[in-house]
Amino acid sequence: MPTKQRVRSAIVEITEALTSIGYETNDLIGPVNEKGEQIPEGEVEETDEVVQYYLTGETSRSNFYLRFSLDQQYAVAVYPMNVLRHLGSYLDRDEAEAIIDEPLDWAEMNEQEEDMMIQTAAERVVENTDPANFHQAAFNLSAYASTSLVDYRQTTTDDGFPKEMQCVRGIFPYTEHITLEQIDSRIHPVIVAGERGRRYIEYSFRIDKENKSPEDYEFKALI
């Protein structure tokens, strides 16, 4: 398995390669455990926890990240999209409060807390919806966001609504010499598949408000 020194070396090489082919890298997060909690650098080799590092990047339109884990011989490139956050963009604070059915002190919330409340309201909208009305949309999303080169993964509600999607592909920075061609051939397909999924979600996933009070809103798909 790779050491932390080998992982950090690979991250430096990949960062340079990404910059060379026009991608922008942002934050390096880690070492962290699987819950995202920071692990002191000096304890990395001794801990029994899974140690991970995340390198975040972006193109002109897309955000993605690479995840490195000390218990794996490969890294993964991931294009994520939070579907509930997208649905929540159709709700204002008053609608979210009515859907959640409790008074909310928005002034006391930070940006992350407000985002979570809006997502909670969006999930309640999905729960109001007959699953038959979103199963086709869920299938369409998986078709748009997966290819023979890229895996599609999702987190769903109990009824199968995709709350979050990920397009994923492995990359092998420890056993191969890192080249620009290798980086581009591994990451570009992930971004292409993720963009296809994102465009489908942004075009098709809506909230049906017509002649309804907020607590009766439902999910609808245009196609």
Side-chain angles (χ1 to χ4, degrees), residues 159-218:
D159 289 325
F161 183 85
K163 298 190 293 185
E164 181 180 8
M165 75 153 201
Q166 291 185 348
C167 297
V168 180
R169 191 175 193 203
I171 185 170
F172 303 90
Y174 315 122
T175 58
E176 301 175 6
H177 175 63
I178 296 174
T179 65
L180 299 184
E181 181 180 7
Q182 180 200 15
I183 295 298
D184 192 53
S185 67
R186 290 285 166 176
I187 295 177
H188 185 66
V190 173
I191 292 174
V192 170
E195 283 290 305
R196 283 165 52 89
R198 179 188 63 78
R199 286 194 296 269
Y200 175 69
I201 290 168
E202 291 180 346
Y203 176 79
S204 187
F205 281 39
R206 296 286 190 274
I207 290 178
D208 181 8
K209 303 181 180 183
E210 188 173 357
N211 300 320
K212 292 180 172 69
S213 57
E215 58 270 22
D216 295 322
Y217 287 172
E218 295 180 314

Side-chain angles (χ1 to χ4, degrees), residues 13-216:
E13 291 180 71
I14 290 174
T15 299
E16 292 173 350
L18 287 171
T19 302
S20 297
I21 55 179
Y23 296 108
E24 202 172 309
T25 57
N26 300 318
D27 296 329
L28 173 61
I29 302 167
V32 296
N33 61 22
E34 289 183 291
K35 296 179 181 178
E37 299 166 335
Q38 195 75 25
I39 297 174
E41 191 72 42
E43 298 178 11
V44 167
E45 305 292 358
E46 290 76 26
T47 183
D48 292 329
E49 295 185 278
V50 174
V51 179
Q52 298 177 330
Y53 296 80
Y54 293 83
L55 177 65
T56 65
E58 63 181 88
T59 66
S60 58
R61 295 174 298 172
S62 309
N63 294 308
F64 63 93
Y65 64 85
L66 280 77
R67 183 178 70 242
F68 305 81
S69 183
L70 294 191
D71 68 333
Q72 294 176 332
Q73 291 281 14
Y74 60 93
V76 290
V78 182
Y79 184 114
M81 182 170 182
N82 187 321
V83 182
L84 291 181
R85 181 174 293 126
H86 166 73
L87 285 182
S89 68
Y90 293 103
L91 301 172
D92 61 30
R93 288 178 173 181
D94 290 339
E95 289 172 316
E97 192 166 332
I99 292 166
I100 295 172
D101 194 26
E102 62 180 72
L104 300 173
D105 191 350
W106 299 100
E108 292 298 315
M109 294 184 194
N110 59 35
E111 185 177 348
Q112 183 178 15
E113 291 168 336
E114 180 173 338
D115 180 53
M116 290 303 299
M117 294 308 300
I118 296 292
Q119 288 186 51
T120 297
E123 188 164 2
R124 298 278 178 89
V125 171
V126 172
E127 291 169 354
N128 286 343
T129 307
D130 184 338
N133 292 335
F134 59 69
H135 281 171
Q136 184 63 48
F139 173 79
N140 289 346
L141 175 58
S142 68
Y144 274 101
S146 60
T147 71
S148 60
L149 297 176
V150 177
D151 290 332
Y152 171 77
R153 301 175 185 175
Q154 60 183 4
T155 303
T156 69
T157 63
D158 291 341
D159 289 325
F161 183 85
K163 298 190 293 185
E164 181 180 8
M165 75 153 201
Q166 291 185 348
C167 297
V168 180
R169 191 175 193 203
I171 185 170
F172 303 90
Y174 315 122
T175 58
E176 301 175 6
H177 175 63
I178 296 174
T179 65
L180 299 184
E181 181 180 7
Q182 180 200 15
I183 295 298
D184 192 53
S185 67
R186 290 285 166 176
I187 295 177
H188 185 66
V190 173
I191 292 174
V192 170
E195 283 290 305
R196 283 165 52 89
R198 179 188 63 78
R199 286 194 296 269
Y200 175 69
I201 290 168
E202 291 180 346
Y203 176 79
S204 187
F205 281 39
R206 296 286 190 274
I207 290 178
D208 181 8
K209 303 181 180 183
E210 188 173 357
N211 300 320
K212 292 180 172 69
S213 57
E215 58 270 22
D216 295 322

